[in-house]
Amino acid sequence: MADLSTQFQELIRDAVDTDSRINFIGGGSKAFYGREPQGESIDVAANSGIIDYLPTELVITVRGGTQISEIQTVLDEHNQMLGFEPPCLNEQSTIAGVIAVGLSGSRRPFSGAVRDYILGCKIINGYAEILSFGGTTMKNVAGYDLSRLMAGSMGTLGLMLEMSLKVIPRPEQEATWFIEVATDQVIATMADLLAKSIPFSGMFYDGRRLFYRLSGADDAINQIAESIGGEQLVDHELFWEGVNHHTHDYFQDETPLWRISVPPATQPVSLAGQFAYDWGGALRWLKSEEVDSQVFQVIGDIGGHATLFRHGQHRDAVFQPLPEHLMQIQRRLKHAFDPKGLFNPGRLYPEF
Amino acid sequence: MTYRLHESERKSHAVNRSEFIRHLAQVLPAESIISQQEALKPYECDGLSAYQQVPWLVVLPDSIEQIQSIMELCYANNIPVVARGAGTGLSGGALPLENGVLLSLARLNRILEIDAVNRTACVQPGVRNASISQQSSRYGLFYAPDPSSQIACTIGGNVAENSGGVHCLKYGLTVHNVLKLKIVTMQGQLVIIGGNALDSAGFDLLAVMTGSEGMLGIVVEVTVKLTPKPDSVCLIQAAFDSIQQASEAVAAIMASGVTPAGLEMMDNASIRAAEQFVHAGYPVDAEAILLCELDGHSSAVVEETGRIQSILKQFKASQVVKADDSEQQQKIWSGRKAAFPAIGQISPDYYCMDGTIPRHQLSTVLEQIQQLSEHYGLAVANVFHAGDGNLHPLILYDANQSGELERAEQLGSDILMCCIESGGTITGEHGVGVEKINAMCAQFSDSEIQQFHRVKSAFDPDGLLNPGKAIPTLNRCAEFGAMHSHQARTHTELERF
Ligand SMILES: Cc1cc2nc3c(=O)[nH]c(=O)nc-3n(C[C@H](O)[C@H](O)[C@H](O)COP(=O)(O)OP(=O)(O)OC[C@H]3O[C@@H](n4cnc5c(N)ncnc54)[C@H](O)[C@@H]3O)c2cc1C
């Protein structure tokens, strides 16, 4: 629990002066994710603590190194939560780490992604300047939205010192039901359900059973589930934890695991391996030995993108390759924050 | 009045206009190039009509290829470009340049595809906001962000301003509802940002583009997310004896676990003006009214309505009216939706502000606004998107009275400073444009502003897109800082009178 911003600023100033490359480490829970880390490791987890939390404002301001579990405990006391259901692959996951990887859990299609909850942030850029963008209000269009840009940037744009996040009240009640659906039927079934105004908060398919979670008042969700059908799942919280934190059986495997993001009603993709669908079909996990170029090609052609999430043979090509003009803008954007290319070099793309 | 660019923001070029028209004529049909004085005049301002500037030239392309050619030509000749949608912007973002091309997207007005199973629509930038919902209605879908200007404003303008609307409390702002953009850069390159999936690879450029006020690229195609239409809607109107009580009720509703589709507040001045204008049935002696809309699956709506009603009673609402049928709902909404024109009926001119504050600061900031209103001798009516703390103080003035516009602007600028001091921001949804460009110097440090300029350079290295908007130069800030402290001194003198 300390504000280490001035120490980190010194440290980054030294790195800039000596052209030293830095690998930021938060909880270390996603060290396996992305391209191979390079540079001198700096532990940023100690810059932690909750700075401000006003439950009626639905906003929490925290330091980057604050553990997700700590944030959740505090929110719990006020019956609130992080709306994007952050995937935490271990107890040490920090909020800055979660934002840097930009991954969101099963609620994503229904209540938004991690980037949607970022209201403001304070960073140190590659000029060793401390900068604040955004703020604590729900709406803010003063200046470019550089706080949301941090989501998914893999720490390549700056060190995230603090962030203000929108939080949401816990739904009064949540429950999950499942129905048996054949693989060739499931896309249509999900599309039908999602076309209606129903308070879904999760939709996952394990290859045999379609699980759907509803949020709201007890009576209301029971009534809705009755009209959809299916059997209620006991221990449903554990189930969604398994899906989000990868303790579910599907993820217990050493086969290369792909995270594939596609339009939700995309017909089953012709790649060999075992699929599981989250996000009502918009997020597809694939355990497969297919070569990376093949996966990128097939998924790129259908307007989606693929990420070699873990257990890859190598970590050269992890993220979907970008077309030339887009890559040029991304490279220049990196340069705009970190002209010497010192922060997490190569972690996202070899070009920067 | 004619708007004057700050010297440090001017992009000069020595290109001869007639010669440039000849170049343009090789890539555009003659009728797509406007150069006659009287034909240029309608483009001299956007929704912030206090500032005007007749453009050098206007072009009306109707294809992406034409836009690319125009941009290539302008880039090669160092000619600045300003994009324009419907020109409803309220911050002067589409204000033209006396030596620049105004690029109107009005002719790119086709809905290209509605993908009902994936719940997306792919549209050209000049498509009007409301027509997306109209066209997707037959699939049981709608486009959620609904600015009050939705029958006129374009989706390209919405992306450029990150526009919001009454229903954004539940369904999100433009930034939450855009999946993919095609943009043409200043150099004429076509770049695809985002994708048809819920996220995309690399940096989140969609976030940077949304709300970038036409400073980074021309939006030439937009794919938006569509939402299933709710099968049930209920609207509650509650009256309060004080703004304080109404604000507390708002906080309690927001923390209750129910997310209203919309939660709007009006103060007494707005209630009276609206009631006189459209007879919505508002209680004219109330200090504040709240309009709270709930929507979704019918069984959920019934339950949530009950909860909201009991919260309103607990926070001492003096009157609670529930409207279930759409006719009744439309009548109640008509007063809120007509709030701006209603004020226009009681005052020759009004100036609409857009500050956003943490909700718990609401009554403090309103009190400060009241004091400022008395100080400047100009009335202020307030309408807000209460659920998200976005205020729209409407300053009443008469431009024909000498000095009133200047006083209104000064009052507006003081209100923005109150918003910053309360921990809020100078603009929630209308953008900075030219209107709030000086206030940016107060909200951001020099190094933050410099970082914004570096980000712009990543897209537009020569700074030819919409110069003089959204992000101030440090020169401007240096001058504004000097002027501002001088004015602060003048105020104290005034207060002694
Ligand atoms: C009566 C009234 C009510 C309003 N209510 C609301 C409201 O409820 N919520 C809200 O958020 N706003 C509101 N507005 C403001 C305005 O309607 C919005 O900002 C709208 O998004 C502007 O769209 P436009 O097509 O008119 O854009 P314009 O005014 O033409 O342009 C706005 C900005 O976008 C840029 N731009 C336009 N098109 C493109 C493009 N294709 N590519 C790149 N840049 C582009 C322009 O350069 C300019 O900077 C209201 C305005 C009025 C007059």
Side-chain angles (χ1 to χ4, degrees), chain B residues 191-462:
Chain B
V191 182
I192 298 179
I193 286 175
N196 295 328
L198 286 177
D199 49 26
S200 56
F203 295 131
D204 191 344
L205 299 187
L206 270 182
V208 182
M209 275 305 298
T210 313
S212 65
E213 304 194 24
M215 304 277 291
L216 305 180
I218 307 292
V219 175
V220 298
E221 195 181 293
V222 187
T223 302
V224 297
K225 219 166 80 179
L226 300 174
T227 303
K229 279 201 272 187
D231 39 44
S232 170
V233 179
C234 181
L235 177 62
I236 302 172
Q237 171 192 311
F240 289 87
D241 294 336
S242 76
I243 296 256
Q244 179 71 31
Q245 278 172 346
S247 315
E248 283 168 10
V250 169
I253 291 170
M254 292 306 296
S256 71
V258 175
T259 304
L263 184 55
E264 299 286 304
M265 197 195 293
M266 294 168 76
D267 74 355
N268 182 266
S270 322
I271 297 170
R272 282 176 187 275
E275 187 53 27
Q276 194 181 330
F277 189 47
V278 296
H279 310 293
Y282 295 163
V284 291
D285 46 359
E287 280 306 312
I289 58 169
L290 285 184
L291 302 181
C292 180
E293 186 168 286
L294 300 158
D295 73 3
H297 194 274
S298 50
S299 42
V301 170
V302 170
E303 195 275 337
E304 291 176 351
T305 306
R307 278 170 70 189
I308 298 296
Q309 280 176 308
S310 61
I311 293 173
L312 291 168
K313 286 190 187 117
Q314 188 190 337
F315 285 86
K316 308 216 163 50
S318 55
Q319 183 208 52
V320 178
V321 179
K322 180 167 84 94
D324 291 308
D325 70 274
S326 84
E327 202 176 310
Q328 222 182 338
Q329 290 167 1
Q330 270 170 22
K331 186 175 169 203
I332 296 178
W333 272 126
S334 70
R336 166 64 184 88
K337 291 196 171 153
F340 293 8
I343 296 291
Q345 291 285 307
I346 60 168
S347 170
D349 299 283
Y350 66 90
Y351 179 33
C352 173
M353 311 299 300
D354 175 44
T356 302
I357 57 170
R359 276 190 312 270
H360 68 273
Q361 297 279 9
L362 194 59
S363 43
T364 316
V365 171
L366 286 181
E367 208 158 293
Q368 288 167 344
I369 293 178
Q370 182 54 36
Q371 281 166 11
L372 287 167
S373 155
E374 283 162 21
H375 173 82
Y376 285 99
L378 294 174
V380 177
N382 285 291
V383 218
F384 353 84
H385 305 299
D388 41 33
N390 187 189
L391 312 179
H392 290 317
L394 300 163
I395 302 171
L396 281 54
Y397 73 98
D398 181 352
N400 288 329
Q401 300 293 318
S402 108
E404 275 210 10
L405 170 63
E406 290 70 21
R407 254 179 27 242
E409 283 183 325
Q410 194 53 51
L411 168 52
S413 144
D414 286 4
I415 291 176
L416 295 186
M417 295 309 136
C418 291
C419 293
I420 297 178
E421 276 159 29
S422 77
T425 174
I426 56 174
T427 173
E429 58 183 18
H430 293 169
V432 173
V434 295
E435 183 206 16
K436 300 172 209 89
I437 195 157
N438 287 336
M440 285 290 285
C441 308
Q443 186 161 332
F444 294 97
S445 72
D446 284 2
S447 32
E448 286 155 358
I449 286 172
Q450 230 163 346
Q451 186 63 60
F452 287 140
H453 285 301
R454 285 189 212 109
V455 167
K456 175 164 168 74
S457 300
F459 289 81
D460 172 23
D462 297 333

Side-chain angles (χ1 to χ4, degrees), chain A residues 139, chain B residues 46-47 82-90 92-95 103 105 125-126 146-150 152-166 209 212-215 217-220 336 340-341 350 385 392 428-431 433 466 469:
Chain A
K139 279 174 161 175
Chain B
D46 61 7
V82 178
R84 178 183 169 107
T88 68
L90 291 172
L95 185 74
L103 177 78
L105 282 308
D146 55 345
S148 314
S149 50
Q150 71 183 140
C153 67
T154 67
I155 189 71
N158 292 173
V159 170
E161 300 288 11
N162 189 16
S163 299
V166 164
M209 275 305 298
S212 65
E213 304 194 24
M215 304 277 291
I218 307 292
V219 175
V220 298
R336 166 64 184 88
F340 293 8
Y350 66 90
H385 305 299
H392 290 317
E429 58 183 18
H430 293 169
N466 220 2
K469 313 284 173 65

Side-chain angles (χ1 to χ4, degrees), chain A residues 207-237:
Chain A
R208 191 163 62 84
R209 291 170 302 172
L210 177 65
F211 297 84
Y212 66 88
R213 178 170 58 187
L214 296 173
S215 303
D218 220 7
D219 284 354
I221 62 175
N222 283 316
Q223 230 174 314
I224 296 166
E226 209 164 293
S227 67
I228 300 174
E231 194 177 325
Q232 187 163 358
L233 183 70
V234 282
D235 265 349
H236 89 120
E237 281 175 8

